[in-house]
Amino acid sequence: MKSSLIRFAIILFVFLSGCGTKEEPTAQEIAEAQLKETPAYKDYSADANTAFLIEVKERLKAPSGADFPWDDLPKEVTTKGVKLSDMSPYLRKVIKEARKLKKENAVRVYQKDSYVDADNSFGAKIRQRYLGTFIIYTEFGYTKSFVEFY
């Protein structure tokens, strides 16, 4: 009686422990999860925005009183199909290198067309528009940012 009760308990334990296991992920699911975690798929718009703010503030006469619109983040722009002659010299160099290595998708470009309200040298608050371009080559982790006032 006691041995049959022990056997029953063991069989019940084995059965119940096997019921709650979840299936192992497939190789495809593992690969997709790893791809999503790589820096190439990260959204770098906040990094680009910070780079633009720093660069704009460095050029202002009174950076402490500068007012930026906080509701607009840089947008990612694609470089596929764009002629090299239409790009800035630095971006042209990076894209040529990426195309040579067949890793064009490792180059991410963000742009922001915005403005800053800041005091000029006479103390008057003026609005200055700027176009910022942020380039990150995720394969090697280097970045470059440009800000042009217009």
Side-chain angles (χ1 to χ4, degrees), residues 16 19-20 52 111 128 150:
L16 290 178
C19 289
F52 297 148
Q111 284 194 323
Q128 184 66 48
Y150 64 94

Side-chain angles (χ1 to χ4, degrees), residues 53-54 56-68 116-119:
L53 295 181
I54 290 170
V56 168
K57 281 188 171 189
E58 286 177 351
R59 297 184 188 184
L60 297 176
K61 298 277 185 195
S64 60
D67 294 324
F68 294 92
V116 59
D117 293 329
D119 292 339

Side-chain angles (χ1 to χ4, degrees), residues 36-50:
K36 288 179 184 174
E37 293 174 7
T38 59
Y41 289 91
K42 179 184 171 201
D43 181 18
Y44 291 96
S45 58
D47 300 334
N49 198 43
T50 303

